Amino acid sequence: MRLGVLDVGSNTVHLLVVDAHRGAHPTPMRSEKAVLRLAEQITDGDRLSDEGAELLVDAVAHARDSAVGFGCAELMAFATSAVREASNSADVLALVHERTGVELKVLSGEDEARYTFLAVRRWYGWSAGNTVVLDIGGGSLEIAVGIDEDPDLALSLPFGAGRLTRTRFASDPPTKREVRELRERLDAELAPVSRRLRKIGPPDHAVATSKTFRTLARLTGAAPSSAGPMARRTLTDAGLRQLIAFISRMSAADLAELEGVSHSRAHQLVAGALVAEAAMRALSLAELEICPWALREGVILRRLDQTEEAVQTAPAVNGSIDQLSGRQDHSSGRTGRYGARWTQ
């Protein structure tokens, strides 16, 4: 079947279209994303702003129409930390459903970690043994570890690259004091996590996913995306320390000029690198292997594992595409009312 997965994250709204059936790997057919930076649309009252809500409505409407155009049989749509933590989350979700017909399911941080872990397990297989998985998003850091497809421990911590950039850095580039204080805070907060993971036993395989880790690996010499998903990519602790010494002195504008760094995420690269460094230090990891599969693939794989009558933990399917395509919305063209631009 052809499936569409819509991931509403802190930075982007990403539609992934795959051809898949149970027992086979999902084959990506199309990918579209819009940079909304919803986490930056959170007001002092922890509300998603009216403008942010309208941006989201336009983006979801566009993704729904794209899923119809690409021939998807089903569309699974979920939201993570930015929407999850907004005090008006229920109102925003209701507005999206009313205007687009798409029901966004909010994933907990632990669910994010579990779905991502499943994707990593399927990518590397049972031979990976006891595996630890790290995923840095815009709003949170997910950590999962285990030997089966369901991790023995799944955690979500409020150490997203975007969140820490907004709350811990007042300067661009950050001052030496800001960098030092963030390092100290991360070390203190990750110490108890380290103790919990040590009780499970040392990992046989250490893996990282997400755009932040892919960018850091690229900047330390890993193969570019043009080399394809099968190219082995790693991030070492020594390479990361050298990279931080370099990028922590650069402005976001200068970072955006580096090969492999997207303009939309350049401003949060230093914070993301510090989170990666602290996590590797806390867990005594000298090297991470970068996995091309992550949360979206985990959602797809879980959906394929389950029958429609027994869906319990995966985000609910939001109805057939035929049903969704008949909905009316107020979006205003490809760029959206507030100019959210889509890239393929």
Side-chain angles (χ1 to χ4, degrees), residues 67-91:
V68 173
F70 296 148
C72 293
E74 297 176 358
L75 177 65
M76 296 175 288
F78 62 87
T80 56
S81 63
V83 174
R84 180 171 67 232
E85 296 174 9
S87 61
N88 60 335
S89 175
D91 293 337

Side-chain angles (χ1 to χ4, degrees), residues 214-224 232-235 239 243:
R214 290 198 303 271
T215 300
L216 295 173
R218 179 72 187 99
L219 290 173
T220 57
R232 187 174 188 272
R233 298 171 174 88
T234 63
L235 176 66
L243 178 65

Side-chain angles (χ1 to χ4, degrees), residues 27-249:
T27 302
M29 302 304 295
R30 296 295 294 265
S31 177
E32 292 187 352
K33 58 185 176 181
V35 178
L36 301 191
R37 295 185 180 178
L38 289 180
E40 298 178 14
Q41 295 284 339
I42 300 297
T43 67
D44 291 338
D46 293 330
R47 296 180 69 260
L48 182 64
S49 68
D50 292 342
E51 181 177 346
E54 290 293 340
L55 278 168
L56 181 56
V57 167
D58 284 342
V60 172
H62 175 89
R64 178 207 60 200
D65 293 344
S66 293
V68 173
F70 296 148
C72 293
E74 297 176 358
L75 177 65
M76 296 175 288
F78 62 87
T80 56
S81 63
V83 174
R84 180 171 67 232
E85 296 174 9
S87 61
N88 60 335
S89 175
D91 293 337
V92 171
L93 296 173
L95 178 67
V96 170
H97 185 250
E98 176 187 354
R99 298 265 290 274
T100 71
V102 176
E103 184 179 0
L104 281 177
K105 298 297 183 181
V106 177
L107 295 185
S108 69
E110 182 177 317
D111 282 341
E112 286 189 59
R114 291 184 179 279
Y115 284 123
T116 302
F117 186 87
L118 172 64
V120 170
R121 171 61 69 198
R122 294 283 178 90
W123 181 267
Y124 291 109
W126 298 115
S127 63
N130 189 35
T131 302
V132 61
V133 178
L134 307 179
D135 185 343
I136 300 172
S140 58
L141 163 68
E142 274 69 55
I143 302 176
V145 62
I147 197 168
D148 296 319
E149 290 200 337
D150 192 41
D152 297 317
L153 180 65
L155 301 171
S156 181
L157 304 167
F159 302 144
R163 182 197 300 270
L164 294 178
T165 299
R166 294 191 305 275
T167 60
R168 307 295 295 188
F169 292 164
S171 306
D172 179 24
T175 65
K176 290 182 179 180
R177 179 177 179 178
E178 288 174 334
V179 170
R180 182 183 70 254
E181 290 179 346
L182 179 53
R183 272 192 170 120
E184 291 172 351
R185 182 196 175 198
L186 289 169
D187 285 343
E189 296 288 343
L190 288 171
V193 175
S194 174
R195 290 192 290 271
R196 293 182 67 181
L197 265 65
R198 280 200 296 270
K199 294 180 180 178
I200 298 174
D204 301 305
H205 199 184
V207 178
T209 70
S210 79
K211 178 67 172 177
T212 296
F213 275 115
R214 290 198 303 271
T215 300
L216 295 173
R218 179 72 187 99
L219 290 173
T220 57
S225 58
S226 59
M230 302 304 292
R232 187 174 188 272
R233 298 171 174 88
T234 63
L235 176 66
T236 67
D237 57 349
L240 182 56
R241 285 195 299 270
Q242 293 174 2
L243 178 65
I244 291 173
F246 175 64
I247 64 174
S248 62
R249 300 193 298 266

